[in-house]
Amino acid sequence: MTYRKFKADQLFDGHHLHGNDKVLITDDSGKVQSLIPVSEAGDDVQTFSGILSPGLINCHCHLELSHLKNVIPPHTGLIEFLCSVVTKRDFPRDVIDQEIIKAEEEMYDNGIVAVGDIGNTADTAGVKSKSKIRWQNFVEVLGFTDEKAEENIQHYKQVAKQFENDHGPWTMDHRTSLVPHAPYSISPKTFKLINELTKGQVISIHNQEHPAEDVLYKTGGGDYLRLFRIFGIGQSPFPVTGLSSIRSVLPYFNNGQTIFLIHNTFMPEEDVVFAKEYAGANGIKLVWCLCVNANLYIENKTPPIEMLMKHNCPLVLGTDSYSSNWQLSIAKEIQAIGNNFPSLPLETILQWATINGARALQWDNELGSFEKGKKPGVTLIDSMLESSTRIF
């Protein structure tokens, strides 16, 4: 057996950030053999400038929206952004397909090894069937009314089946789950059906991206009524609970799921406390996914990261889609967090981008850290956190 040896200005092993005194050794397949001092490494060490890291984990993306790059301008605000996505996403089939191919290649070349990917359609199934990236497919359900709940679920089950026909429903490299889109697009019966269908699975939901989300559940009014009118809905179809959106919808889940809460840009501290207490009492696991560049793109606002850290919320990173980001780069997400929260240690943010993401997606037996026997991929992040490159 032959071995490959790697070192760089810094080496991040998935848990700790080291200087240039460590060498990573893998076999020819990429399986980690050891992490040793430079003095013991011998010859034939490949040396790089930057940070050597396990492959990066993108926990939230919408690959199928890649054709919307530069279509929706930055800083429109969320409601206008959502209206634009709904009304502008129809492009010629060949354009959609080509942009999906380019975006998948970009993420692979950037050293991203696993993606939690949202889709309302199976447009990405063909590309994923050939991809070397691992995919957690989140087939995103939209269902505004109880009357059409069963019909909608059947439709999205067929979308999920298209992914499963390529990979099987739950394989080592690809998984598919039905997930709710957001509190402002899922009826009570639809939530209950999704809960029944996702026992023990990894799912996601967009959470508190705009203050109007809470207004909708507290009063039945607010800016989301603009979005509903596009779908021919004249008033809020959801129950007025007098509570915030997360307090209104999280209690639908009690079936052992791991739930990614996506964005959380306007999540107040009392709702974080509620969510953690509810999860602990009801056997579910919550993961908070940060997509900082998307939040800056849409609302020019960042989520309350330091408050989430104060409450020991498990944090992971995502890019969101090309409709709401300038690139699909986890390195750029790391950079954006560092720029906006300069007191945060780089080591901590790198953990969110690697081992935390691998654990959340339940692939940490293979990915996320340079531990003996794993095949996490080897990625080089440049020292300015401008870009990342797949090394192995």
Side-chain angles (χ1 to χ4, degrees), residues 323-336:
S323 67
S324 60
N325 206 334
W326 297 271
Q327 64 279 309
L328 303 181
S329 167
I330 291 296
K332 278 286 194 180
E333 298 301 318
I334 295 168
Q335 181 191 57

Side-chain angles (χ1 to χ4, degrees), residues 175 231 265:
R175 298 171 180 159
F231 293 97
T265 328

Side-chain angles (χ1 to χ4, degrees), residues 196-210:
E196 292 168 7
L197 291 166
T198 57
K199 183 176 182 178
Q201 294 186 15
V202 182
I203 64 174
S204 71
I205 184 169
H206 294 80
N207 179 59
Q208 289 172 299
E209 294 179 76
H210 191 278

Side-chain angles (χ1 to χ4, degrees), residues 52-328:
L52 211 60
S53 169
L56 304 173
I57 314 292
N58 183 356
C59 283
H60 181 71
C61 188
H62 298 248
L63 186 64
E64 72 179 16
L65 298 181
S66 298
H67 61 288
L68 293 180
K69 184 177 182 179
N70 298 323
V71 170
I72 304 170
H75 308 156
T76 63
L78 182 69
I79 310 302
E80 184 60 37
F81 171 82
L82 291 169
C83 293
S84 295
V85 170
V86 171
T87 57
K88 296 179 179 180
R89 67 180 291 171
D90 290 334
F91 273 60
R93 178 78 258 166
D94 62 326
V95 174
I96 293 173
D97 290 343
Q98 284 303 310
E99 294 305 313
I100 287 171
I101 290 169
K102 286 163 60 177
E104 187 276 340
E105 289 175 350
E106 175 188 349
M107 286 196 282
Y108 179 81
D109 291 342
N110 286 347
I112 290 172
V113 295
V115 181
D117 191 57
I118 299 285
N120 307 116
T121 72
D123 289 352
T124 60
V127 168
K128 289 173 179 175
S129 70
K130 304 179 185 74
S131 177
K132 295 178 182 177
I133 295 172
R134 295 187 186 211
W135 298 93
Q136 166 68 61
N137 299 308
F138 294 127
V139 175
E140 188 178 70
V141 175
L142 295 170
F144 292 95
T145 64
D146 281 350
E147 290 75 19
K148 291 192 174 182
E150 295 275 6
E151 178 184 336
N152 282 329
I153 289 292
Q154 288 306 313
H155 166 73
Y156 290 107
K157 278 185 175 180
Q158 289 303 308
V159 174
K161 193 170 183 180
Q162 293 179 66
F163 288 108
E164 293 170 3
N165 286 342
D166 285 325
H167 304 297
W170 200 264
T171 68
M172 184 178 77
D173 293 335
H174 300 277
R175 298 171 180 159
T176 300
S177 301
L178 293 182
V179 306
H181 166 245
Y184 54 84
S185 59
I186 301 291
S187 74
K189 185 175 180 181
T190 308
F191 268 122
K192 291 173 184 175
L193 289 170
I194 294 172
N195 180 54
E196 292 168 7
L197 291 166
T198 57
K199 183 176 182 178
Q201 294 186 15
V202 182
I203 64 174
S204 71
I205 184 169
H206 294 80
N207 179 59
Q208 289 172 299
E209 294 179 76
H210 191 278
E213 191 174 311
D214 287 343
V215 172
L216 183 70
Y217 275 89
K218 288 179 178 179
T219 71
D223 286 347
Y224 274 108
L225 299 185
R226 288 177 53 204
L227 178 67
F228 297 156
R229 284 195 284 271
I230 294 176
F231 293 97
I233 301 170
Q235 61 185 26
S236 174
F238 307 118
V240 175
T241 63
L243 304 171
S244 67
S245 61
I246 189 72
R247 291 172 186 259
S248 301
V249 306
L250 190 60
Y252 288 115
F253 294 98
N254 57 10
N255 222 347
Q257 296 95 338
T258 294
I259 305 176
F260 287 23
L261 300 178
I262 310 297
H263 295 308
N264 315 294
T265 328
F266 292 89
M267 190 176 196
E269 188 165 15
E270 60 266 26
D271 281 355
V272 173
V273 173
F274 160 80
K276 292 201 72 175
E277 289 178 351
Y278 177 84
N282 290 276
I284 62 175
K285 179 181 178 183
L286 297 179
V287 176
W288 278 256
C289 184
L290 309 173
C291 306
V292 170
N293 276 319
N295 305 145
L296 292 169
Y297 191 105
I298 297 171
E299 291 281 348
N300 202 25
K301 179 175 171 58
T302 57
I305 294 178
E306 291 165 324
M307 183 267 285
L308 296 173
M309 293 177 68
K310 170 186 166 184
H311 289 280
N312 297 312
C313 298
L315 299 177
V316 298
L317 304 187
T319 61
D320 213 7
S321 75
Y322 256 133
S323 67
S324 60
N325 206 334
W326 297 271
Q327 64 279 309
L328 303 181

